[in-house]
Amino acid sequence: MEATHNATRANSTVTRMTSPRFFGYGSLVNRATHDYPEVRKTQVSGWARAWRHTDLREVAFLTAVPDANATIEGLTAAVPDNDWAALDEREFAYERIALETHAETAIYAIPAEKHTAASVAHPILLSYLDVVVQGYLNEFGEAGAALFFATTHGWSAPILNDRATPFYPRHQVLTADERTFVDEALSALNCTVIDT
């Protein structure tokens, strides 16, 4: 019920878009998780990326939070025929918000009053993080993936190591080099990794 309500409310913010696009800054950066066309790399100013928990999900996910001094790298892609239904369902814990800085483009974010910091009770899934980092490595190289780690808030939350049995439904298989990159970045941030 809540997901339907959110999707309906989100649709009202972008109904006037004639050539709509979404901006992805997390798992949507990994093209293996979707097949939306006309993908472009871009930057969005005025937002930062953070790990947060919402009552609609048991674990922490990335969200965008307003920050006048921040910039996020990511991808935009077209939403053919203004058909947001599948994407709204995928991003059901978020609200879709029209970006003021990018015409005809929407970003998915959890409203500030509906999220809390990631925690031991609501950790970050390593299988989800792997997907995000693989996307940044493929699109922006090691420098861009390192920037993802450097500009994302909330690394004090524990990382739940579910690689052996991934909980994230769109998990991907990483190469040995990709796994090493993720593991070394988490080590450099002094993140706590817990096993399932």
Side-chain angles (χ1 to χ4, degrees):
M1 183 67 153
E2 180 67 19
T4 303
H5 175 67
N6 281 349
T8 302
R9 193 165 26 153
N11 285 341
S12 67
T13 35
V14 289
T15 51
R16 289 188 292 272
M17 289 187 176
T18 55
S19 302
R21 302 181 68 81
F22 68 82
F23 174 72
Y25 53 87
S27 63
L28 287 167
V29 173
N30 193 325
R31 297 191 202 202
T33 71
H34 65 84
D35 58 1
Y36 287 92
E38 299 176 35
V39 178
R40 301 176 197 147
K41 299 175 192 176
T42 193
Q43 293 182 333
V44 168
S45 298
W47 295 84
R49 197 175 24 237
W51 291 106
R52 291 291 186 264
H53 167 254
T54 168
D55 289 341
L56 296 176
R57 290 180 169 166
E58 290 187 24
V59 294
F61 276 76
L62 289 169
T63 191
V65 293
D67 184 338
N69 299 314
T71 299
I72 304 176
E73 283 187 326
L75 298 182
T76 65
V79 181
D81 302 319
N82 209 7
D83 183 3
W84 292 89
L87 200 53
D88 284 345
E89 183 177 350
R90 170 179 169 153
E91 307 297 321
F92 71 89
Y94 301 82
E95 288 191 7
R96 180 162 33 97
I97 302 164
L99 284 171
E100 295 178 5
T101 55
H102 290 65
E104 304 292 319
T105 303
I107 189 171
Y108 284 91
I110 305 169
E113 70 278 6
K114 294 183 179 179
H115 65 73
T116 58
S119 64
V120 172
H122 308 290
I124 298 164
L125 284 182
L126 186 54
S127 60
Y128 173 71
L129 175 60
D130 282 345
V131 166
V132 176
V133 177
Q134 184 182 61
Y136 274 92
L137 286 168
N138 289 337
E139 301 295 337
F140 297 97
E142 289 192 4
L147 188 63
F148 161 80
F149 280 100
T151 59
T152 299
H153 305 288
W155 294 111
S156 59
I159 314 295
L160 182 63
N161 183 357
D162 64 331
R163 274 183 181 152
T165 308
F167 297 140
Y168 184 58
R170 285 175 286 278
H171 70 273
Q172 303 293 314
V173 177
L174 270 62
T175 66
D177 286 345
E178 289 170 340
R179 284 194 305 273
T180 298
F181 184 91
V182 173
D183 294 344
E184 289 180 350
L186 292 175
S187 178
L189 289 165
N190 295 314
C191 291
T192 300
V193 180
I194 55 178
D195 291 324
T196 54

